[in-house]
Amino acid sequence: MSKLLFERSVVGRRGILIDPIDVPEVKLDEQYVRQSKPRLPEIGEVDLVRHYMELSKYTFGVDNGFYPLGSCTMKYNPKLNEATASLEGFANIHPSQSLETVQGALTLMDDLSHSLCEITGMDAFTLQPAAGAHGEFTGLLLIHAYHKANNDTKRTKVIVPDSSHGTNPASAAMAGYQVISVPSNAQGGVDVDALKLVLNDEIAGLMLTNPNTLGLFDPNIELITSMVHEVGGLLYYDGANLNAIMGTARPGDMGFDVVHLNLHKTFSTPHGGGGPGSGPVGVKAFLKPFLPQGSLVKETYGYRFLDERDQSSIGRMRSYYGNFLVNVRAYTYIQSLGRDGLKAASQNAVLNANYLMEGLKDTYPVTYPGTCMHEFVISLEKLKKETGISAKDISKALLDYGMHPPTMYFPLIVHEALMIEPTETESKETLDFFIETMKKLHDLAYSKPEVILNAPYSTPVKRVDDVQAARNPILKYMF
Amino acid sequence: MAGYILNTDQERTVMLEQIKRASLDDLYAELPSDLKLKQDLNLSAGQSEFAVMAKLKALSSQNKVYSTILRGAGVEHHHVPAVVKQLSNREEFVSAYTPYQSELSQGVLQSIFEYQTQMCELTGMDVCNASVYDGATAAAEAMQMVVERNRRVILMPENMHPHVLQTMRTYAQWANIQLVDLKTIDGRIDLNDLQAKCDANTAGVFIQHPNYFGLLEDVQEISRITHGIQAKLVQYTNPLTCAYLKSPRALGADIAIGEAQSLGIPMSFGGPYLGFMAASADLVRRLPGRIAGQTVDLDGKRAFTLTLQAREQHIRREKASSSICSNQALMALVASMYCASMGPQGLKEVADAGLRKAHYLLQELEKIGFKRKYEGPFFNEFVVVSPIEHSIIERVCDEMDILAGLGLSSHESLWCVTETTSKATLDQLIARLKEVIQ
Amino acid sequence: MEKYYATSHEWVMQVDDQHVRVGISDYAQKALGDIVFLSTHELGDSVSFGERFGDVESVKAVSELLSPVDGVVSKVNTDLEDKPELLNEDPLNVWIIEVEGQVDTSRLLSEEAYLALDKDH
């Protein structure tokens, strides 16, 4: 592995220099001034470049290879998006410039919001939330504000299915709700009977992904949304899986009142090793008055941002208006694909997933057979029982074939789960290679399990000791 | 027009045959038919790369890019070294997912570890997370770090960035946290008011230093009062100033948070930015979000991994203190590269340049009839009362391709100077303003 | 002395007239995997039957510790602060807290009954 920046440091060495400061010195009172320098690396430019070149070599992105991470929609991130986001007129404008001087940015934001409304069947969008979980929290605050405005104060509970992502219950708790979990039925959908049992006038809302985390479109969706509406609850759509249905079906038409999207999934903006993302939230018209401060609205006289004067607003979710440059990328993507391209993207994502499932299903049991949407889940429970090889082991072995493994151990309701989402931007050859590799590893699990247990072999480091990391945390460099 | 789809029609036919489907539409056969869209989405048709670029260029040209920026208020204009721009755009970094698979992600994990170390060095803290969305959400998340079962009150002064205060209020509303305003005198925290409001219910005191108006607070005294009642002191700060000023830890803070946009991140019309959160060692398990740690691999080689994950939502679900599931990894990488490219001396010089140029600008403004609004010591931002309406000054600046300080009221404005503005430009501005005022 | 078990997988054992010790079962440590951190109520805190007195963390899971006894914490096993793995190594001999209180066998399972339950897992 490479040296750390601090290990490359040489006292007195300089990288980037600034102009000499051509105004008089200022002496602040000593009580304010730092006495010793921070131990930042002292490094020359060429060494800095070599350091990061090395780190980049030890990092694996979509641009390096196949990345079938279920629920993460790791599609290709078009370079055009990067080019537009780095235009000076977007990257170098101050967020508090007067609105006359940023009309291009506002037009783009407004146009993007309209496109997202059309794609999801909603009436208004705020682009402020910075990521999916932030969007969830925003959406739940909107629901809370709505009930409060109706003096409907006994609604203290939010329902989430047991297959949901951990952010759902965590966001609900942050918005002050008690979380009720409902089980999934044998087909992986919401168990309608179980739902019936928990529905009453204490329910503020239900959070759902559809297609769900198993990659299945819930055939009862309209029944579910109408049941929740009947008791006065609202419907929250987690847009994690929108990549399956663009141009074919819309959450707004299914009965959802609030949705969040992950622009870093469906709309091709890069994940950046963990962020920045963007998690815009869309609402039906009756929730518009509650949108966060910092959301863009168009009045007859022009654009403005909601502020403290908009008293029914849930308040501000973060500084300014959102991850603008991420939104520029998503806008670029929508412009490139257009109505037909978006629909084709979803259709081909579903085709690729079904093709992959067909190729794997005789080797690895598929949790819920039938047509999947953009992803599906296989269970390695039997393999583990018979060979001792776990989902994690197979995942680690995949690394040696230049592929990122699928999502492991999620959803929690499937044992030894691997959740596979190929996306539309992968070719048949890539899918075939994945199928072939997975079959090979399956055989190997029976014939030479020790080979898999010690994988990976080709990565810069071998299996990493997570236990030691957690027991004796070393969270910064020890000088 | 582009779909970034690789399969040819012929391949699609083969694939459909394999899965025994007649057409792409057939894949959606199990959807309730009344939910299926009957017509195309009402969006424009796809466009070529050339056409999209032209459209986006046209939009971007409707935004004014100023050559000189004398406005900060939480977002500063700094020179971003070419090496930082170039390297942080490496495809591997940009297109990677969260580094859950450590063996394949050592590069990004190491970069987070280096970022955490650098932020600890700047703030004087023991631990730092892998970052959160921005400064305002860092402050909101920090509230959960300080509250205890029976201590739910947080004191915060009005001289923090308004977006930070507003975001804290939003996050507090259903979290059973009570926010109490602290008074200020002459732009700085009223220590008597602080002393009076501190009691056994106070969980934490939040301050911004240098504050929203650029003024330096008496943090050591605030720390003494806060710790006198065993509450936690949370300092919101611009990490660039920490290269010059005493670190939050040295001043007595338990938690240092803030917006790190000043470390090489462009102004970007508000985002993406970089919220940092650093704390003393005893608070490590209260830090939200991801943290990278050092460990070893099977062969005993140094390796890095995301650690202490049992704090996070994917394990703790509704019992997690935060639902945050991403960080701003790419922005943290930029900040880390920026710090490394400048080094301790360079970073100090950048901070010093802002300090000195801001004082120079104020001194020259005072010569032509502007008055300082607040008397206390300040760093690279200050508030003035202008002899003419600020809107006129803004227009004059605009004509000179300068973004003026931020108007706070008709005659009051908040100015910020960084290393990017030369003395010559400041002199030209003063000369022009002098003409206008006379 | 004999151990009694709660269905939430904690054991409790009377150590003298006034004190009991509390730990977790072998099944619990296996289910959690490598334990990396433990947090518990402190000396002098009261605990009540079925209520949380701490958390135990492994790399990929966290579980609440529920008290199998009513009383006041009289000792905390500080060895576990630095070596939480002791719970994996010897769960039945490593206690987590000592409580001033009495084992209430009417609300608990005998070792035999608990182990029978364990087989169903």
Side-chain angles (χ1 to χ4, degrees):
Chain A
M1 268 309 293
S2 38
K3 282 185 179 173
L4 288 166
L5 274 175
F6 315 99
E7 294 162 342
R8 296 179 187 266
S9 181
V10 175
V11 176
R13 196 166 278 167
R14 300 287 301 267
I16 304 299
L17 304 177
I18 66 165
D19 288 328
I21 308 170
D22 52 1
V23 294
E25 264 187 66
V26 173
K27 267 223 156 321
L28 288 176
D29 189 302
E30 208 170 88
Q31 63 158 312
Y32 298 114
V33 181
R34 186 168 188 131
Q35 302 304 322
S36 62
K37 279 184 190 166
R39 288 167 292 182
L40 300 174
E42 299 179 69
I43 210 169
E45 187 168 326
V46 68
D47 282 344
L48 189 73
V49 171
R50 288 176 185 155
H51 177 75
Y52 284 107
M53 288 302 290
E54 202 174 347
L55 292 196
S56 72
K57 223 164 52 187
Y58 300 147
T59 302
F60 188 88
V62 179
D63 288 359
N64 295 94
F66 189 39
Y67 231 109
L69 265 176
S71 232
C72 301
T73 315
M74 294 297 287
K75 60 171 75 177
Y76 171 65
N77 315 132
K79 299 306 155 203
L80 178 61
N81 303 356
E82 302 306 308
T84 58
S86 59
L87 288 167
E88 285 279 297
F90 294 136
N92 279 333
I93 47 176
H94 193 286
S96 67
Q97 280 184 218
S98 65
L99 296 188
E100 314 88 77
T101 65
V102 290
Q103 286 295 306
L106 302 184
T107 306
L108 184 151
M109 290 169 73
D110 187 44
D111 205 8
L112 174 60
S113 298
H114 278 120
S115 300
L116 298 178
C117 282
E118 176 63 17
I119 293 165
T120 55
M122 305 307 282
D123 298 319
F125 257 87
T126 173
L127 301 177
Q128 191 179 54
H134 203 217
E136 289 175 23
F137 181 40
T138 305
L140 286 153
L141 289 177
L142 290 167
I143 290 174
H144 216 147
Y146 167 78
H147 290 310
K148 192 182 167 203
N150 292 336
N151 285 323
D152 196 350
T153 51
K154 59 182 175 309
R155 297 187 184 274
T156 53
K157 294 170 185 167
V158 163
I159 305 172
V160 299
D162 58 0
S163 62
S164 74
H165 195 271
T167 51
N168 286 181
S171 298
M174 281 175 86
Y177 285 118
Q178 190 189 330
V179 177
I180 308 273
S181 178
V182 287
S184 306
N185 63 21
Q187 292 75 43
V190 173
D191 184 331
V192 173
D193 292 326
L195 177 63
K196 217 173 270 169
L197 290 177
V198 296
L199 282 179
N200 56 39
D201 60 1
E202 291 180 359
I203 298 301
L206 167 71
M207 302 178 83
L208 215 57
T209 50
N210 189 35
N212 61 23
T213 45
L214 297 158
L216 302 165
F217 193 95
D218 201 314
N220 296 323
I221 188 66
E222 289 167 288
L223 174 65
I224 294 164
T225 56
S226 66
M227 280 165 66
V228 175
H229 277 153
E230 222 156 87
V231 298
L234 298 188
L235 272 300
Y236 184 93
Y237 183 84
D238 176 336
N241 298 337
L242 186 76
N243 204 45
I245 57 171
M246 284 188 294
T248 295
R250 310 193 299 177
D253 301 336
M254 299 171 203
F256 286 94
D257 306 296
V258 191
V259 314
H260 90 259
L261 302 179
N262 299 286
L263 299 188
H264 45 285
K265 297 179 181 176
T266 321
F267 296 94
S268 84
T269 74
H271 283 70
S278 177
V281 167
V283 294
K284 291 281 173 65
F286 71 97
L287 289 172
K288 259 164 108 166
F290 307 106
L291 287 175
Q293 290 169 20
S295 304
L296 184 71
V297 289
K298 196 173 189 175
E299 308 282 9
T300 47
Y301 55 84
Y303 294 115
R304 74 174 182 102
F305 289 107
L306 297 180
D307 59 30
E308 309 91 276
R309 286 164 297 183
D310 298 284
Q311 292 197 352
S312 50
S313 162
I314 55 167
R316 175 174 285 284
M317 297 306 300
R318 55 160 289 170
S319 60
Y320 303 104
Y321 330 113
N323 283 344
F324 175 70
L325 293 186
V326 180
N327 298 338
V328 170
R329 289 175 172 92
Y331 181 74
T332 304
Y333 179 73
I334 293 172
Q335 292 297 308
S336 302
L337 266 65
R339 52 180 180 253
D340 298 330
L342 290 172
K343 184 173 182 179
S346 281
Q347 287 180 325
N348 282 277
V350 174
L351 174 66
N352 279 359
N354 277 286
Y355 179 76
L356 211 51
M357 184 169 77
E358 181 68 25
L360 288 174
K361 74 173 188 203
D362 294 335
T363 318
Y364 295 93
V366 174
T367 313
Y368 296 94
T371 311
C372 69
M373 289 282 110
H374 63 304
E375 68 188 3
F376 59 97
V377 178
I378 58 178
S379 168
L380 278 62
E381 204 176 3
K382 180 164 168 275
L383 184 76
K384 176 148 191 217
K385 227 171 239 165
E386 292 177 2
T387 67
I389 296 298
S390 66
K392 180 175 176 175
D393 297 324
I394 294 284
S395 295
K396 296 297 177 195
L398 273 172
L399 303 181
D400 286 325
Y401 293 85
M403 290 184 280
H404 195 284
T407 300
M408 314 182 294
Y409 301 104
F410 189 79
L412 305 174
I413 55 172
V414 179
H415 295 293
E416 294 298 323
L418 286 180
M419 185 187 207
I420 306 172
E421 179 181 8
T423 84
E424 72 279 9
T425 61
E426 298 298 335
S427 68
K428 181 171 173 297
E429 303 97 275
T430 300
L431 305 180
D432 287 337
F433 179 64
F434 181 75
I435 294 168
E436 190 189 308
T437 309
M438 286 294 284
K439 285 182 173 167
K440 200 190 293 179
L441 293 175
H442 188 267
D443 290 347
L444 213 53
Y446 284 93
S447 60
K448 287 186 189 153
E450 68 284 357
V451 174
I452 294 186
L453 275 174
N454 291 322
Y457 299 93
S458 62
T459 47
V461 295
K462 293 210 176 145
R463 278 203 207 188
V464 171
D465 189 345
D466 295 332
V467 176
Q468 183 178 325
R471 276 187 186 153
N472 307 306
I474 303 174
L475 308 176
K476 62 172 186 176
Y477 179 65
M478 298 297 163
F479 288 93
Chain B
M1 189 191 281
Y4 308 104
I5 294 167
L6 303 187
N7 289 330
T8 62
D9 287 341
Q10 210 169 2
E11 284 171 316
R12 238 184 314 274
T13 311
V14 174
M15 290 167 77
L16 282 166
E17 260 168 37
Q18 199 104 30
I19 61 169
K20 300 175 192 71
R21 294 283 171 169
S23 65
L24 288 175
D25 285 333
D26 197 21
L27 292 165
Y28 296 96
E30 284 149 36
L31 264 63
S33 60
D34 62 315
L35 283 183
K36 284 195 228 172
L37 285 172
K38 307 293 178 288
Q39 69 281 322
D40 289 341
L41 291 173
N42 183 19
L43 298 174
S44 53
Q47 297 169 66
S48 71
E49 181 162 324
F50 181 79
V52 174
M53 193 66 196
K55 177 164 186 175
L56 272 283
K57 266 188 187 157
L59 280 171
S60 76
S61 68
Q62 290 170 39
N63 302 323
K64 179 152 184 177
V65 178
Y66 290 93
S67 59
T68 299
I69 301 208
L70 297 175
R71 183 172 296 189
V75 180
E76 295 187 347
H77 177 51
H78 289 282
H79 172 66
V80 181
V83 67
V84 172
K85 266 189 208 162
Q86 195 82 14
L87 282 173
S88 62
N89 280 330
R90 291 277 311 176
E91 263 67 31
E92 298 86 343
F93 298 133
V94 171
S95 73
Y97 188 67
T98 303
Y100 287 126
Q101 294 288 345
S102 347
E103 295 82 358
L104 216 52
S105 316
Q106 285 300 303
V108 67
L109 284 164
Q110 182 174 328
S111 83
I112 294 172
F113 187 79
E114 290 171 346
Y115 159 81
Q116 289 172 183
T117 306
Q118 287 169 308
M119 296 311 285
C120 285
E121 281 299 309
L122 284 169
T123 59
M125 293 293 167
D126 306 313
V127 291
C128 175
N129 72 7
S131 73
V132 295
Y133 310 131
D134 70 344
T137 54
E141 297 275 1
M143 294 191 302
Q144 284 291 351
M145 288 179 69
V146 300
V147 292
E148 310 274 353
R149 214 163 359 129
N150 351 322
R151 295 178 87 128
R152 312 290 301 179
V153 176
I154 286 172
L155 309 180
M156 58 187 204
E158 61 209 13
N159 63 16
M160 294 180 76
H161 191 296
H163 288 178
V164 174
L165 295 176
Q166 289 159 9
T167 306
M168 286 171 69
R169 288 198 185 99
T170 306
Y171 274 62
Q173 60 191 318
W174 305 109
N176 185 27
I177 293 173
Q178 196 191 340
L179 298 175
V180 173
D181 294 330
L182 282 176
K183 286 190 193 136
T184 55
I185 295 182
D186 197 27
R188 304 204 293 164
I189 291 171
D190 178 347
L191 297 177
N192 290 325
D193 190 51
L194 172 65
Q195 184 84 64
K197 284 176 178 157
C198 270
D199 62 27
N201 294 320
T202 310
V205 175
F206 278 56
I207 60 163
Q208 180 172 347
H209 167 78
N211 70 30
Y212 182 60
F213 305 122
L215 301 165
L216 304 180
E217 295 283 355
D218 188 351
V219 185
Q220 281 159 29
E221 184 58 17
I222 293 168
S223 161
R224 200 189 55 75
I225 298 170
T226 306
H227 291 128
I229 50 148
Q230 278 86 47
K232 298 271 189 288
L233 178 61
V234 184
Q235 182 184 333
Y236 185 97
T237 194
N238 172 354
L240 179 60
T241 64
C242 296
Y244 191 98
L245 295 174
K246 261 190 197 153
S247 74
R249 189 58 186 281
L251 293 169
D254 303 284
I255 300 175
I257 50 166
E259 176 54 67
Q261 176 272 335
S262 55
L263 301 178
I265 297 170
M267 298 180 292
S268 319
F269 199 51
Y273 290 162
L274 176 63
F276 75 92
M277 300 185 78
S280 57
D282 54 316
L283 293 169
V284 61
R285 278 170 200 276
R286 294 194 174 200
L287 268 178
R290 295 181 183 138
I291 302 177
Q294 181 184 314
T295 180
V296 292
D297 75 353
L298 267 182
D299 294 342
K301 263 197 332 192
R302 177 167 71 189
F304 300 93
T305 185
L306 293 178
T307 191
L308 304 182
Q309 294 192 45
R311 300 164 295 114
E312 295 184 66
Q313 48 72 32
H314 59 280
I315 292 174
R316 221 169 260 259
R317 293 177 76 84
E318 67 268 23
K319 296 203 178 72
S321 69
S322 168
S323 71
I324 193 163
C325 170
S326 59
N327 69 339
Q328 302 284 102
L330 197 63
M331 297 353 270
L333 178 75
V334 169
S336 183
M337 283 177 178
Y338 179 78
C339 289
S341 67
M342 303 308 295
Q345 185 59 28
L347 216 57
K348 187 179 173 186
E349 286 173 12
V350 172
D352 190 31
L355 169 76
R356 285 158 65 174
K357 288 178 175 180
H359 282 73
Y360 178 75
L361 176 61
L362 174 64
Q363 172 201 308
E364 297 303 304
L365 285 170
E366 282 178 326
K367 287 182 191 162
I368 58 169
F370 287 68
K371 291 208 165 52
R372 264 182 90 170
K373 164 106 178 173
Y374 305 116
E375 279 310 309
F378 66 99
F379 202 73
N380 70 328
E381 290 190 85
F382 57 86
V383 179
V384 284
V385 182
S386 48
I388 53 173
E389 276 197 25
H390 182 65
S391 57
I392 302 170
I393 294 165
E394 222 175 330
R395 204 176 58 235
V396 171
C397 285
D398 185 77
E399 285 159 9
M400 298 175 74
D401 205 14
I402 295 173
L403 180 63
L406 178 69
L408 301 177
S409 67
S410 69
H411 286 74
E412 289 176 8
S413 51
L414 172 62
W415 297 71
C416 171
V417 194
T418 71
E419 84 287 0
T420 56
T421 303
S422 67
K423 175 172 179 291
T425 305
L426 294 176
D427 289 341
Q428 281 163 18
L429 171 65
I430 294 294
R432 178 77 188 105
L433 284 176
K434 196 172 170 186
E435 287 170 17
V436 175
I437 290 166
Q438 278 161 359
Chain C
M1 275 294 186
E2 221 174 320
K3 285 191 174 64
Y4 289 87
Y5 289 80
T7 49
S8 49
H9 310 292
E10 293 83 9
W11 57 255
V12 57
M13 181 174 75
Q14 198 80 40
V15 287
D16 60 36
D17 289 354
Q18 276 136 38
H19 298 95
V20 301
R21 284 182 175 176
V22 176
I24 58 171
S25 72
D26 190 44
Y27 170 79
Q29 71 82 13
K30 272 193 194 128
L32 277 161
D34 294 310
I35 292 169
V36 298
F37 185 71
L38 199 73
S39 69
T40 64
H41 278 20
E42 288 166 16
L43 212 66
D45 288 349
S46 53
V47 293
S48 29
F49 189 93
E51 304 271 311
R52 179 176 164 277
F53 74 89
D55 289 324
V56 55
E57 286 181 19
S58 66
V59 174
K60 296 276 153 78
V62 60
S63 180
E64 288 189 343
L65 294 166
L66 304 182
S67 179
V69 62
D70 293 324
V72 174
V73 179
S74 52
K75 260 188 207 165
V76 174
N77 186 350
T78 48
D79 290 354
L80 293 171
E81 276 173 24
D82 295 331
K83 283 185 163 288
E85 59 269 32
L86 294 175
L87 282 177
N88 289 117
E89 289 161 12
D90 196 5
L92 299 186
N93 287 312
V94 176
W95 54 277
I96 300 172
I97 53 169
E98 188 180 276
V99 176
E100 207 176 308
Q102 301 294 323
V103 172
D104 176 0
T105 55
S106 70
R107 295 196 282 189
L108 296 160
L109 300 169
S110 68
E111 184 143 21
E112 196 185 1
Y114 176 75
L115 291 178
L117 190 78
D118 199 7
K119 286 200 186 82
D120 304 333
H121 290 303

